[in-house]
Amino acid sequence: MTAIAPSAPLTRQTSAPGHPSARLSFGRLVRSEFLKLFTLRSTWWSLGIAALLTVGLAAMIAGASSSFGPGLSPVAAITLPVQFTMLVAGILGAMAITGEYSTGMIRSTLTAEPRRGRVLVAKSVVIATTLALLAAVTSAIAGLVIMPILGADSYAWGDAKELWLPLLLSMLAMATFGLLGLGWGFIVRNGAGAIATTVGILFVLPLVLQLFMLFGESWQWIVDLGRWLPGNAATALTDLDGEVFWPSLAATVAWPAGALLLGWAVLRTRDA
């Protein structure tokens, strides 16, 4: 009789969350962040409000300018609403991370990807890409809407400096506003607090600094500081003023970069 050799016991090949084979690739991490962002109703509400503001305000500006005669650049009508949509962008950036802290999902995120810096970078890529694409799409729609009002001849189609560069810079500005909110979301970890701080920097602080104009020339230096706040710097950036272009670009990028660096430090040193 032939003896049957016992088979080796089956073992499950599993990896601990911290094992290298269990780590997500950066591409999959970004994809998961996109899925998390776009499965929230608040994301779609925010994007819809930003789109309506851009198109609606551009149409109002173009319509109002027609009664004063020709001369308004269509790019100005398209980019001026950024002063309002920046609030929506900042709030969306803040909610993208504070929502995870409020629900506890951040623990699952950091279990799937223990390298916290990669999580912050992935979320930054998702927020910046989403808001830049939103600015591109809404600018195109707004341009089509106001074309019958201002006329197709008012568009400098072949002039990159007059048309395309300001639109690209407005895309950059929207991305930086969202990253500013994201950075403060990582720092504060509370939705109301992060939104209040972001709105304060983008909208309230410029108004406060302008009040110092009432106190005379000795306080003018504080008023001048307001030029380097994110919203004012982004407005000067899209105006392409040669004297302040590079300082405005530096200020526009420095604000979200500083918030994200501080958020990274907080993320590394605090428990989820």
Side-chain angles (χ1 to χ4, degrees):
M1 185 174 67
T2 304
I4 301 175
S7 58
L10 297 176
T11 59
R12 294 183 62 186
Q13 299 295 325
T14 59
S15 299
H19 193 275
S21 63
R23 291 177 177 173
L24 291 171
S25 67
F26 186 72
R28 291 185 176 181
L29 182 59
V30 170
R31 181 174 178 269
S32 69
E33 293 298 335
F34 268 113
L35 289 175
K36 284 191 287 186
L37 181 66
F38 283 93
T39 51
L40 297 174
R41 284 181 293 179
S42 58
T43 298
W44 293 103
W45 275 105
S46 299
L47 297 178
I49 291 171
L52 288 175
L53 282 173
T54 300
V55 177
L57 290 174
M60 291 175 61
I61 293 169
S65 68
S66 62
S67 61
F68 299 100
L72 176 71
S73 168
V75 173
I78 295 171
T79 58
L80 280 175
V82 171
Q83 299 179 27
F84 298 93
T85 56
M86 67 179 181
L87 299 178
V88 181
I91 291 171
L92 177 62
M95 291 191 302
I97 179 59
T98 55
E100 290 199 39
Y101 278 106
S102 64
T103 61
M105 185 180 289
I106 188 64
R107 299 188 186 92
S108 299
T109 299
L110 297 180
T111 300
E113 178 49 87
R115 294 170 290 184
R116 300 187 174 196
R118 285 166 61 93
V119 173
L120 184 144
V121 172
K123 286 185 178 293
S124 299
V125 169
V126 169
I127 289 295
T129 302
T130 298
L131 291 171
L133 290 176
L134 172 69
V137 172
T138 54
S139 294
I141 296 173
L144 292 174
V145 168
I146 67 175
M147 188 179 293
I149 302 174
L150 299 179
D153 295 338
S154 61
Y155 289 81
W157 300 107
D159 193 333
K161 185 176 181 180
E162 291 293 327
L163 180 61
W164 304 112
L165 187 55
L167 294 179
L168 288 174
L169 291 172
S170 69
M171 293 169 59
L172 172 66
M174 282 291 286
T176 59
F177 298 144
L179 293 177
L180 179 67
L182 179 66
W184 280 103
F186 274 109
I187 296 168
V188 179
R189 299 185 171 195
N190 174 270
I195 291 172
T197 304
T198 303
V199 172
I201 294 173
L202 292 176
F203 187 73
V204 179
L205 192 55
L207 298 178
V208 172
L209 294 186
Q210 285 296 317
L211 292 176
F212 282 87
M213 294 179 62
L214 303 175
F215 304 146
E217 292 293 331
S218 60
W219 296 95
Q220 184 61 37
W221 64 276
I222 295 183
V223 179
D224 293 338
L225 287 177
R227 295 187 302 173
W228 313 119
L229 292 173
N232 294 337
T235 301
L237 188 66
T238 55
D239 289 340
L240 295 177
D241 187 342
E243 294 184 359
V244 298
F245 176 79
W246 292 110
S248 298
L249 178 61
T252 301
V253 174
W255 278 93
L260 288 172
L261 284 173
L262 185 55
W264 173 73
V266 171
L267 184 65
R268 283 178 58 88
T269 56
R270 289 185 189 173
D271 292 335

